[in-house]
Every structure is written in structure tokens, then in C-alpha cells.
Amino acid sequence: MPTEPETDYDPSLGNKFIFVTGGVMSGLGKGITAASTGRLLANAGFDVTAVKIDPYLNVDAGTMNPYQHGEVYVLKDGGEVDLDLGNYERFLDIDMTFDHNVTTGKTYQHVIEKERAGDYLGKTVQIIPHVTDDIKRRIREAAEGHDVCIVEVGGTVGDIEGMPFLEALRQFAHEEDEEDFLLTHVTLVPYSKNGEQKTKPTQHSVKELRSIGLQPDILVGRCEDELDPSTKEKIALFCDVPTDAVFSNPDVEDIYHVPLMVEEEGLDEYVMERFGLADEAVPAEERDTQWRDLVTQETGGEVDIALVGKYDLEDAYLSVNEALKHAGLERGVDVNVLWVDSEKMADDDEARLREADGVVVPGGFGSRGTAGKIDAIRYAREHDVPFLGLCLGFQLAVVEYARNVLGLEGAHSAEIDAETPHPVIDLLPEQYDLEDLGGTMRLGAHETEIAPGTLAADVYGAEACTERHRHRYEVNPEYFEDFADTDLVFSGESGNRMEILELDDHPYFLGTQFHPEFRSRPTRASPPFVGLLDAVVESTDERLEVEA
Ligand code: GLN
């Protein structure tokens, strides 16, 4: 039965929208290309935000396995989202909220809840228009108050999952003024065996787009090298876009160089021109160059930091890796991350740990690999190696100290050993009676009070910090007494919760119950990471002096 289209979404507020779709295959880095374009628009003085669409049925990324999908990124409002949102926060230096991540699950859940509440007044509830209207409403709400909103559609054009989103996009294109809407399609341009750049995959994916009523305005070809002029011409001809709307996106060594490359290609200027924003933009010679200066600086020295985790997928620790890079950018030092697999400490991984100048034990869940992490923490503590423990890394530092210094035999986290005689880490009280696992951890930004005169106070240069959390367990208050008057000081607290620990007699041993990596930006490195790097540089300088 046909239904009347629903029109309860906000009308356009005059913002500009750049939609980004992907063709041929996933993993082309369309998010980085989009975020880089956004960075350049921000440098030109525009307020840019982003929306990431994930066409999966999960309501959010919180219940997804990071060793299969990459890390779960946490926003300040506690939203557990796809790691791509982290890239937008880092590239644009903005704080996003949960409603900047639109998933199939979230949209359908909302539409079905409305149907159950009787809000559709007897209509047949359908993908078109009810789901597509809900998608458009979410995008427009997220864009409100910003000049430009980049909307990245995850997956590849042609996927069944993506269809309702692409249909919403088609409607969107019609509803917006031509000057307010651009569709950028990122595709793959492979080489043939005889070294020729092949455009057929691009042609096919644009054909796929057109079959659902979408015509791209801009085409970006991911290729090992820059696209040849003849390749661009061919793409333009077959895909019906002007030649100057075809851009290359060649491989670069470091993703932070993508904005420089996008600028060189002139993609940002093209976008401003099409949006009619060129006159409002800050003149090219007056634009913010902080990003360029940071990523092209001459670095002095190189340090090795061991990142001790479970390695099915390095993306599981993406933000930690980035935060280490940011500290390096801030101090002008190259940071090498040595991936140490905590399950393979008996093999070469222990040797790699011993080579490192500093040790990071990141967050995690479950028992796999914890023994190796505890060994790594003990090693760092006993050998005066600068150490940073994040969330699970903080908790295991408590366990290690309880066992090996306080002599609490068998001490553990109740998450990992339910039968431990000393549950020094235990469930947060509010976690006991939970039934659902989705979105129920202690999540998002909470303030921590920092004790004056401590390492933490020095690192943050403040009496408080607000960082993002994602945990169910914490230091068990029943053991606070056991740690009183020891070398292990809890230097940050939030109510009765221990948030930061440090060791008195150590060059740098810091643990945080929160995840400072989620607030780290290339242009604004995270204090605990910068502190770690400073301690590493100091200790390597001392070692070099001794050796000389
Ligand atoms: N698994 C631990 C907890 O739930 C640590 C969580 C984490 O590292 N993010 O408390």
C-alpha cells in the first residue's frame, strides 16, 4: 500500500554537504581523503564537521570485536563508534558526538520504536520514505550550526546494506540547492601488467551509482601514483564529469601528509569554488600552517616504544599509535612503535620489549594475553623503563604491584580470574545487575582531580583533567588501605574512584583508568604521552652519555 511521504525532518539550514562514497573495494582510505579535504577547508576558515554512516545492523560499534574490526573509538558523550570518527576528530581537531555516527541499527531501531508508539498514525512503515527520512534528519541535525558537513558512506557502492543510505542521498541531492551539495566518489585505479592505469573499475562503479540515480560531482582515483593526464581525461569522458573534477590520491607514506597532497591536487579549491565559498575563504597565504609545519618538520632523534597487546589486527590500537605519533610531532622526535605480542613473550617478542626505550600497555578485555602484559609491566617497573598503562594497562599495573611488591599472592582482576583471593580490580558497583552489554560500561568524559605535587600534576600542568572512559572494572576500594604509604600513589581520583597511578621511585611510571589517546590530536598531543616521550628521551640521553 503506498504511503504519503513523511516530511517531519528539518529543512536545509543552508549548510554545505560533501557526501563521500566508495567504489570498487573497501579500504581505499576515503575517510582520510575526506578528512584531509575537511582539514584544508578548516584552514581556510570554515567550520567543518563530519558524519560517518556505517551500514551495519549494530546500533553502535561497542559490541564489535576490535581484533576483527579495529578499535572501538569513544566520544566525549560516551558514544562507542567506528574508528573512522577518530580520524575526523584528529584531522579536524573537533569533538564529535554520538549522533555523528549513523548506523542501520540505530536508524531502524528508532523507526521501529516510533512505529510501536503509534507515531506513524496507521501508515505502512517502509524503508522509503520512513527510514530514508530518518537518515536525512540525522544528517541535517548533525550538520546544524556548521558551514560544511562531510558525510562518509561506509562500504562500497552496490552493497545491499548501503542501499537505503544511497537512496536517502539521492533524495538529499534533490532537496538541496545545487550549490550546497557535492558527491565525491573515491575509486581504485589499478595498474595493468604493462604499467597502464586502468579506468574500467572506476567506470563500472560510476555506472553502479548512476543506476540508482546518483551522478558524482568529483572523482578521486586511488592509485599507487598520481593519475596521468590521459587517465583523468578518460575518467572524465566516461563518467561525465569535467576533467578538473578528477583528482588523484596516490599512496603516501604517512596519512598526515594526505592533506598536503590534496592541497597540491587543488581538491580543496575546487570544492570551495563549487560551493561558492571561494570569496569567503581566508586568502591562501594567510591560512593556518600549523599542520603542515608539524608534519614536515625536521626531526631530531628516534625512539622505540613497545606497545604490548594482542595482535590479530594493529588497528585495534589505532588511537594509541596515533597518540604516540602526536607526542613525537610535538617534541620533534620520530617514534617507532615496536609491536610486542603479549601472547608470544616466550618467542621473539620479549627480546623486542627489552630493546624498547619505553613501554605502553594499552586497554583490553578478557584474559587472553594478560600474563604477558603483567610480565611487561614488571619488567618496566624493575628496570626503570618509562611506562604508560592505559585502562587495562592501569589495572594490570595494580595487579602486578599487589602481587610482587605487596605480596598479595594470586591478586588479580575479577574480570580475568573470578576466583582470585585478592580481587584488587573488581566490577564497578553499578555494573553488578546489568543484563545488556551494549552501551552499558562507564563511558565518555569524566573529570579527574589530580593531587598537587605529583607526576600527574606535572604532566597535565593542572589540578584536574577530563578524559574519556570505557570500562566495567576499577580499583577495589577494599584494597585502598593496602596501597596507602607504599611507592604506588593514586594521584588522580574521581569521587571514590582511582583514576591515575604513579610510582614514586621511578623515572616515569604512569597508569590511567581512562583513555587519554582518544583526545590526542596531531596539533595537540596528549599530556601522558608527551610525558612518556620526555622521560624516554631523557633516559636515552643519559644512557648515551654513559656509553660515550
Ligand atoms: N576490561 C577492563 C574493564 O572493563 C578494561 C577496559 C579497557 O581497557 N578499556 O574495566
Side-chain angles (χ1 to χ4, degrees):
M1 187 180 48
T3 57
E4 293 296 308
E6 189 186 55
T7 50
D8 70 348
Y9 52 79
D10 288 349
S12 165
L13 297 149
N15 337 59
K16 311 281 184 187
F17 293 92
I18 307 176
F19 279 80
V20 184
T21 55
V24 186
M25 61 180 226
S26 62
L28 289 179
K30 61 181 184 292
I32 299 291
T33 315
S36 299
T37 311
R39 173 76 250 164
L40 294 166
L41 296 175
N43 288 352
F46 298 105
D47 179 334
V48 184
T49 191
V51 170
K52 171 77 197 295
I53 290 175
D54 286 307
Y56 43 61
L57 274 165
N58 304 61
V59 171
D60 61 39
T63 54
M64 292 166 88
N65 181 347
Y67 307 105
Q68 279 167 29
H69 304 274
E71 95 185 344
V72 177
Y73 191 77
V74 184
L75 301 172
K76 69 171 180 193
D77 66 357
E80 298 170 278
V81 296
D82 189 87
L83 52 79
D84 285 328
L85 275 88
N87 283 325
Y88 286 107
E89 287 207 337
R90 287 185 282 267
F91 275 72
L92 299 174
D93 192 9
I94 54 169
D95 283 341
M96 297 162 91
T97 50
F98 190 39
D99 33 68
H100 289 247
N101 191 201
V102 179
T103 67
T104 305
K106 216 188 231 184
T107 301
Y108 277 63
Q109 188 180 49
H110 180 71
V111 169
I112 291 169
E113 274 167 10
K114 272 176 72 174
E115 184 275 329
R116 289 291 79 188
D119 289 355
Y120 292 106
L121 305 175
K123 288 176 195 158
T124 304
V125 182
Q126 296 182 305
I127 294 176
I128 307 169
H130 303 102
V131 168
T132 48
D133 276 354
D134 191 67
I135 293 166
K136 289 184 290 178
R137 172 187 63 84
R138 288 172 188 278
I139 294 168
R140 289 196 167 99
E141 281 177 7
E144 208 172 324
H146 302 280
D147 301 323
V148 180
C149 181
I150 296 170
V151 185
E152 178 191 347
V153 186
T156 308
V157 167
D159 298 346
I160 289 181
E161 286 85 353
M163 286 303 180
F165 295 100
L166 295 176
E167 168 55 20
L169 211 161
R170 187 192 65 76
Q171 297 171 20
F172 208 104
H174 284 286
E175 290 159 10
E176 294 293 327
D177 288 341
E178 217 178 298
E179 252 203 358
D180 292 341
F181 180 91
L182 282 177
L183 175 58
T184 301
H185 189 57
V186 182
T187 80
L188 179 72
V189 178
Y191 274 108
S192 70
K193 260 212 262 131
N194 52 12
E196 208 187 325
Q197 294 180 341
K198 305 304 282 182
T199 65
K200 197 63 91 188
T202 301
Q203 293 179 40
H204 275 289
S205 78
V206 170
K207 203 163 138 195
E208 187 91 43
L209 265 180
R210 283 184 170 162
S211 72
I212 47 177
L214 287 166
Q215 168 62 37
D217 300 292
I218 293 173
L219 284 166
V220 177
R222 279 286 295 117
C223 186
E224 264 171 59
D225 307 298
E226 275 170 31
L227 299 183
D228 300 330
S230 61
T231 309
K232 286 190 176 181
E233 273 161 33
K234 202 163 169 190
I235 291 176
L237 179 66
F238 281 99
C239 302
D240 203 16
V241 296
T243 314
D244 62 355
V246 183
F247 297 90
S248 354
N249 188 346
D251 290 351
V252 288
E253 205 180 298
D254 176 359
I255 56 164
Y256 293 153
H257 284 244
V258 177
L260 314 189
M261 184 208 75
V262 169
E263 192 169 34
E264 209 163 288
E265 284 273 319
L267 176 54
D268 55 327
E269 295 298 335
Y270 187 82
V271 166
M272 286 188 263
E273 203 60 56
R274 283 290 307 263
F275 277 156
L277 290 175
D279 291 342
E280 282 172 55
V282 173
E285 59 286 357
E286 288 166 34
R287 286 183 199 161
D288 190 349
T289 60
Q290 191 194 3
W291 184 287
R292 173 181 292 276
D293 298 343
L294 276 174
V295 304
T296 57
Q297 69 183 304
E298 196 75 60
T299 49
E302 186 178 321
V303 299
D304 295 326
I305 308 274
L307 184 51
V308 186
K310 304 189 268 195
Y311 284 104
D312 304 320
L313 184 68
E314 286 180 8
D315 268 359
Y317 306 108
L318 183 68
S319 291
V320 176
N321 190 40
E322 297 301 297
L324 286 167
K325 256 165 74 178
H326 304 161
L329 289 176
E330 176 141 335
R331 290 296 190 249
V333 174
D334 284 322
V335 178
N336 252 336
V337 174
L338 307 181
W339 308 96
V340 173
D341 190 329
S342 57
E343 289 184 291
K344 298 199 183 126
M345 296 290 261
D347 310 335
D348 292 348
D349 287 66
E350 162 130 43
R352 206 147 54 239
L353 174 72
R354 285 169 191 271
E355 255 170 52
D357 306 307
V359 175
V360 175
V361 178
F365 291 83
S367 58
R368 199 158 66 83
T370 43
K373 290 180 186 173
I374 294 173
D375 290 346
I377 294 167
R378 180 175 195 166
Y379 165 77
R381 181 176 58 79
E382 291 181 344
H383 293 82
D384 282 349
V385 179
F387 166 81
L388 180 60
L390 308 166
C391 207
L392 182 65
F394 160 92
Q395 297 174 351
L396 295 180
V398 173
V399 169
E400 192 279 321
Y401 196 85
R403 285 184 187 177
N404 300 325
V405 182
L406 303 185
L408 300 174
E409 213 172 302
H412 219 322
S413 162
E415 176 187 13
I416 297 152
D417 176 6
E419 306 297 317
T420 169
H422 295 293
V424 287
I425 303 295
D426 203 0
L427 264 188
L428 289 151
E430 64 268 32
Q431 293 284 327
Y432 274 105
D433 299 320
L434 283 180
E435 282 175 14
D436 279 354
L437 287 185
T440 55
M441 283 186 240
R442 180 170 181 246
L443 288 167
H446 296 279
E447 193 181 68
T448 294
E449 265 179 59
I450 302 174
T454 57
L455 171 68
D458 193 36
V459 161
Y460 274 96
E463 286 166 10
C465 65
T466 302
E467 297 277 16
R468 299 180 190 173
H469 295 70
R470 183 171 189 254
H471 64 121
R472 282 187 210 286
Y473 292 81
E474 64 174 349
V475 183
N476 184 347
E478 284 175 28
Y479 286 87
F480 287 174
E481 264 305 298
D482 295 78
F483 289 93
D485 304 318
T486 67
D487 248 5
L488 189 148
V489 176
F490 290 107
S491 49
E493 293 178 26
S494 173
N496 197 36
R497 291 182 166 145
M498 296 313 172
E499 293 271 6
I500 307 179
L501 68 77
E502 56 191 68
L503 283 185
D504 266 345
D505 209 10
H506 193 282
Y508 191 90
F509 192 101
L510 196 79
T512 63
Q513 179 59 79
F514 46 77
H515 291 271
E517 67 271 23
F518 293 135
R519 284 190 59 226
S520 185
R521 306 288 155 81
T523 46
R524 218 149 31 93
S526 164
F529 287 86
V530 177
L532 175 77
L533 191 60
D534 285 342
V536 162
V537 169
E538 198 170 309
S539 66
T540 39
D541 282 353
E542 276 166 22
R543 201 183 60 218
L544 292 179
E545 262 167 45
V546 172
E547 281 168 10

